[in-house]
Amino acid sequence: MYLTRFRLNAARPGARKLIASSQALHAAVMSSFPDLLPSAAGRPRVLWRLDRNAAAELLLYVVSPGRPDLTHLVEQAGWPAAAASGTPGWQTYGYAPFLDRLDKGGIWNFRLTANPVHSVRVRDGQPTKRTAHVTTQHQIEWLLGRQEVGGFRIQEKPQERRRTERGDLHQLVVRDQRSLEFRKTGSTGPVTIKTVTYDGRLEVTDADALRKVLTEGLGKAKAYGCGLMTLAPIST
């Protein structure tokens, strides 16, 4: 497995086009793997996430079973002149050594962009429909409900840091809520996906289960930049 980071040059029209369209960015990411055919059945999962840390700091993260070649992204949305002079256009790291170091009880900061949804039935007798969670509390509950199977536990805040006596329990922030709207082939109308980004702190409860989350993703809409969780040492 590999973890790749690529910084987009927000001043370039090609970068702005990719930022504006999850479909276009997904296609660009998948074009980084010459051995993966778009129509191949059972092809390995490639996860990606776009972090919008600031207007000029747009970072694309990719977790993949193979090493990507992002030359086309450098040319379209990066700094081609810098790359031509020897400055790497992206950084790719072997992911296995990090994954192997995960142990039960370890504490990490994490970031996750996800598509928190639930199934509802509007009328009796009708099939359920997948619907996005729209309130922060329900979005938090969606993630908390995946802790056990995901092999992690969101850390609680010390009592003195909680803003209210009953709420604000976890070391978790929900931010950057976005609605992605696009048309899929064969669809009669636009498709809308609601995404949110979680920043928080977790404890590893099952290292194998968490490794699966980190390499296979969490939740729906993985093709559209959702599901990729990354970890960072708490010192950062």
Side-chain angles (χ1 to χ4, degrees), residues 198-219:
Y198 301 89
D199 284 330
R201 183 168 294 182
L202 61 77
E203 177 184 352
V204 181
T205 58
D206 183 330
D208 287 336
L210 183 55
R211 289 186 191 103
K212 184 174 181 179
V213 167
L214 297 177
T215 56
E216 298 183 15
L218 186 66

Side-chain angles (χ1 to χ4, degrees), residues 1-6 8 15 17-33 36 43-52 58-65 68 70 73 95 111-115 176 178 180 182 193 195-197 213-230:
M1 298 296 296
Y2 295 90
L3 172 66
T4 299
R5 182 179 64 183
F6 172 82
L8 284 82
K17 177 182 176 181
L18 295 177
I19 295 165
S21 171
S22 292
Q23 284 183 305
L25 189 48
H26 170 69
V29 169
M30 297 309 297
S31 296
S32 305
F33 304 94
L36 291 184
R43 62 181 181 178
R45 169 67 66 185
V46 175
L47 302 172
W48 63 271
R49 186 184 77 221
L50 180 63
D51 284 3
R52 306 166 189 257
L58 302 166
L59 298 175
L60 174 67
Y61 289 90
V62 180
V63 167
S64 57
L70 303 185
L73 274 178
Y95 210 17
R111 175 169 291 178
L112 165 71
T113 293
N115 170 226
D176 201 22
R178 295 179 180 272
L180 312 177
F182 52 89
I193 293 176
T195 72
V196 300
T197 296
V213 167
L214 297 177
T215 56
E216 298 183 15
L218 186 66
K220 306 293 184 180
K222 296 183 180 71
Y224 302 102
C226 296
L228 174 55
M229 176 186 283
T230 52

